[in-house]
């Protein structure tokens, strides 16, 4: 499925970019042709003006008499062997042919006073006549404000054609190479674009599989206890035991479903209107007071290092409280009796930093990159005995990121772990930190 999507992305990317490339190459070729033709027209016009400068004229009996003896090609001077002019023609003011050089022209001038592209046929080469393209200009020659004649000159377009042919050959070779590179780039970019989707799909599969697995155990307990109660006569005490097991299994499923709903509801950044000003010092003090009794029951030492002044920021207090509770609960679960748990709050660089440290069993380095993944357990057997689903840290991470913060962990096996939450503060009133 992903490879097919990747191929489709690469194909459409290549098609779209290739179309743009072909259009761009066509525009470049058109511009190149226009520039070459403009250069040829400039050269042809210059030569025509030089020839027109050799025309001598005078008025006799009220009419202009023209002398073309000094006009190159049309005069008595023989043409140079290297001349690029194919033909030159002189027409009278009434557009009648008077003199010419080169191929025999029509007796009367019928074209307008402008540049023209003309296709002519030379002597046959073999059995096929050769076609030659010419660029022609017809220039009216004026004397004292009156037109004394028309000079028509033509040059071959062979240099322009050869230049454009070479340019077209270059484009023909380069465009397929560019299309190949575009296709390769589309394949690579398609892979990069599909990678987050692939990761999300794999994560969804793992999530579905893990959630189904976690629900299967309490459902099996409910089913087995209910079946025993229905099939086998039980005394009141046994019946009570089975009902208690059903209740515990139902509570376990309810907790799991609640956690899954919490993850689903807060998958992105929180809306600004849902935030309010929160005093972290007061919130964490309440947390420390609440968990002090639990620490005493488990023979743990809870130490809190909180500032005297308030540390305020914009947050959703219930969700932020849930994130800290998950970290404290996790620390209590995996810290043996006689150990200690520490809750700290301080500020640095306009950030509020919350640390939850414990002297528990620690986390192996190989597991550190995965501990915030849903349903991930470092020690599956011990996690189940502690009553965990592997969602507490994932929920804490998601809730912190929903506030625009980040969470990290450092740990040494056998010495303990430290979880750190960093939150951006809009307003910090604490002094001395």
């Amino acid at each position: 499925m992903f490879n097919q999507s990747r191929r489709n992305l690469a194909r459409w990317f290549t098609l779209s970019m290739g179309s743009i490339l072909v259009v761009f190459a066509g525009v470049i070729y058109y511009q190149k042709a226009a520039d070459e033709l403009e250069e040829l027209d400039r050269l042809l016009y210059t030569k025509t003006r030089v020839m027109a400068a050799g025309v001598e004229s005078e008025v006799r009996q009220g009419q202009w008499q023209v002398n073309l003896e000094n006009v190159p090609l049309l005069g008595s001077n023989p043409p140079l062997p290297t001349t690029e002019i194919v033909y030159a023609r002189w027409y009278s003011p009434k557009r009648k042919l008077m003199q010419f050089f080169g191929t025999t022209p029509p007796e009367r001038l019928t074209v307008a006073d402008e540049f023209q592209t003309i296709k002519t046929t030379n002597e046959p080469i073999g059995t096929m006549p050769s076609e030659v393209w010419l660029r022609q200009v017809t220039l009216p020659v004026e004397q004292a404000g009156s037109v004394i004649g028309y000079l028509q000159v033509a040059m071959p377009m062979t240099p322009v054609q050869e230049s454009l042919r070479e340019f077209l050959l270059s484009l023909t070779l380069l465009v397929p190479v560019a299309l190949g590179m575009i296709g390769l780039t589309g394949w690579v970019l398609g892979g990069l674009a599909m990678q987050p989707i692939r990761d999300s799909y794999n994560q969804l599969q793992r999530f579905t599989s893990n959630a189904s697995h976690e629900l299967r155990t309490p459902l099996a307990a409910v089913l087995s206890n209910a079946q025993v109660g229905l099939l086998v006569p039980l005394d009141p005490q046994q019946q009570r035991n089975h009902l208690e097991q059903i209740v515990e299994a139902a509570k376990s499923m309810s907790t799991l479903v609640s956690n899954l709903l919490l993850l689903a509801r807060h998958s992105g950044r929180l809306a600004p209107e849902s935030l309010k000003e929160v005093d972290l010092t007061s919130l964490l003090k309440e947390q420390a007071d609440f968990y002090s009794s639990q620490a005493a029951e488990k023979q743990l030492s809870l130490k809190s290092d909180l500032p005297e002044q308030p540390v305020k920021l914009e947050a959703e207090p219930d969700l932020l409280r849930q994130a800290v509770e998950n970290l404290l609960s996790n620390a209590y679960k995996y810290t043996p009796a006689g150990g200690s748990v520490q809750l700290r709050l301080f500020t640095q660089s306009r950030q509020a930093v919350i640390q939850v440290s414990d002297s528990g069993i620690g986390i192996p380095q190989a597991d550190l990159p995965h501990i915030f993944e849903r349903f991930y357990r470092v020690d599956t057997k011990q996690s189940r005995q502690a009553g965990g689903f592997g969602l507490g840290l994932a929920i804490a991470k998601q809730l912190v990121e929903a506030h625009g913060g980040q969470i990290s962990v450092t740990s040494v096996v056998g010495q303990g772990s430290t979880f750190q939450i960093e939150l951006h503060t809009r307003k910090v009133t604490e002094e001395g930190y």
Side-chain angles (χ1 to χ4, degrees):
M1 178 180 67
F2 291 103
N3 287 334
Q4 180 64 33
S5 299
R6 184 179 184 181
R7 284 193 293 269
N8 289 337
L9 285 175
R11 186 181 300 113
W12 283 107
F13 178 79
T14 304
L15 181 61
S16 58
M17 295 302 296
S19 301
I20 295 174
L21 178 64
V22 171
V23 172
F24 181 73
V27 172
I28 294 297
Y29 180 81
Y30 175 81
Q31 186 63 42
K32 173 72 173 177
D35 292 342
E36 291 285 347
L37 187 61
E38 183 180 357
E39 183 66 23
L40 179 63
D41 288 347
R42 189 180 297 112
L43 177 62
L44 178 60
Y45 182 76
T46 300
K47 289 180 177 291
T48 305
R49 293 293 297 176
V50 170
M51 293 179 64
V55 177
E56 297 177 355
S57 61
E58 59 181 349
V59 179
R60 293 179 182 178
Q61 297 179 356
Q63 294 184 352
W64 286 98
Q65 299 295 322
V66 178
N67 183 8
L68 303 177
E69 288 297 321
N70 295 326
V71 177
L73 302 180
L74 294 179
S76 57
N77 296 330
L80 296 176
T82 58
T83 181
E84 297 178 346
I85 296 178
V86 177
Y87 59 77
R89 301 158 181 175
W90 178 264
Y91 290 87
S92 68
K94 296 182 178 181
R95 298 177 177 263
K96 182 179 179 181
L97 179 66
M98 303 299 296
Q99 198 164 339
F100 69 92
F101 160 79
T103 58
T104 303
E107 289 294 328
R108 299 195 62 81
L109 180 64
T110 58
V111 299
D113 306 338
E114 59 183 13
F115 289 92
Q116 285 184 314
T117 299
I118 301 175
K119 182 175 71 172
T120 63
T121 303
N122 283 347
E123 293 297 326
I125 299 177
T127 59
M128 298 292 294
S130 61
E131 294 181 349
V132 178
W133 289 88
L134 304 177
R135 189 66 172 169
Q136 171 186 285
V137 64
T138 304
L139 181 68
V141 181
E142 297 182 354
Q143 187 75 26
S146 300
V147 176
I148 62 175
Y150 295 90
L151 181 61
Q152 189 176 79
V153 180
M155 290 178 61
M157 297 183 64
T158 305
V160 175
Q161 290 175 308
E162 291 178 353
S163 176
L164 292 178
R165 190 177 297 111
E166 293 177 357
F167 186 69
L168 182 60
L169 179 61
S170 300
L171 290 179
T172 305
L173 296 176
L174 291 176
V175 167
V177 174
L179 285 175
M181 296 180 63
I182 289 174
L184 180 60
T185 303
W187 177 259
V188 174
L189 293 179
L192 294 177
M194 291 298 298
Q195 190 59 43
I197 302 176
R198 183 192 295 270
D199 293 341
S200 298
Y201 180 77
N202 293 335
Q203 185 179 6
L204 179 61
Q205 282 189 318
R206 291 194 303 269
F207 176 80
T208 305
S209 176
N210 292 332
S212 301
H213 178 75
E214 294 296 340
L215 286 171
R216 187 182 296 115
T217 300
L219 281 174
V222 171
L223 182 60
S224 62
N225 282 280
Q227 288 175 339
V228 170
L230 291 174
L231 298 177
V232 181
L234 300 175
D235 59 52
Q237 184 58 41
Q238 288 179 325
Q239 187 176 17
R240 180 180 179 83
N241 291 338
H242 285 290
L243 291 176
E244 288 178 351
Q245 291 178 11
I246 291 175
V247 170
E248 290 300 322
K251 287 182 178 180
S252 177
M253 287 190 293
S254 177
T255 301
L256 177 58
V257 171
S258 298
N259 289 337
L260 295 178
L261 288 175
L262 186 62
L263 286 170
R265 289 172 179 170
H266 304 286
S267 57
R269 289 291 297 270
L270 295 174
E273 56 269 16
S274 66
L275 304 179
K276 60 182 68 174
E277 189 176 73
V278 177
D279 180 8
L280 275 182
T281 303
S282 176
L283 185 144
L284 295 182
K285 189 175 184 304
E286 294 176 2
Q287 294 287 90
D289 294 340
F290 176 78
Y291 277 93
S292 295
S293 59
Q294 295 189 17
E297 291 177 1
K298 297 193 64 174
Q299 300 179 359
L300 298 177
S301 172
L302 175 61
K303 301 177 182 178
S304 59
D305 183 7
L306 306 177
E308 295 293 336
Q309 296 81 9
V311 177
K312 296 183 179 180
L313 51 76
E314 298 293 324
E316 210 293 329
D318 293 334
L319 298 182
L320 195 57
R321 184 180 296 107
Q322 179 70 51
V324 178
E325 284 181 0
N326 286 3
L327 296 184
L328 288 172
S329 177
N330 203 65
Y332 283 1
K333 288 178 183 178
Y334 301 107
T335 302
S340 63
V341 176
Q342 184 180 37
L343 176 63
R344 294 186 61 204
L345 171 64
F346 59 92
T347 60
Q348 60 180 15
S349 303
R350 296 192 60 82
Q351 283 189 330
V353 180
I354 304 171
Q355 286 184 347
V356 177
S357 305
D358 63 68
S359 59
I361 60 176
I363 304 170
Q365 291 296 317
D367 294 307
L368 285 177
H370 307 287
I371 60 172
F372 292 108
E373 296 178 5
R374 299 176 183 184
F375 295 106
Y376 187 84
R377 295 183 178 90
V378 176
D379 185 341
T380 304
K381 182 178 180 180
Q382 186 170 358
S383 297
R384 291 190 185 279
Q385 291 175 351
F389 291 105
L391 291 176
L393 294 181
I395 292 175
K397 180 176 184 293
Q398 189 161 308
L399 294 181
V400 170
E401 291 180 347
H403 285 84
Q406 58 184 4
I407 185 171
S408 58
V409 59
T410 57
S411 184
V412 178
V413 176
Q415 297 183 18
S417 307
T418 297
F419 289 85
Q420 178 167 299
I421 297 175
E422 298 178 9
L423 298 170
H424 298 286
T425 58
R426 296 184 181 180
K427 180 180 180 182
V428 179
T429 57
E430 179 189 356
E431 298 178 355
Y433 282 80

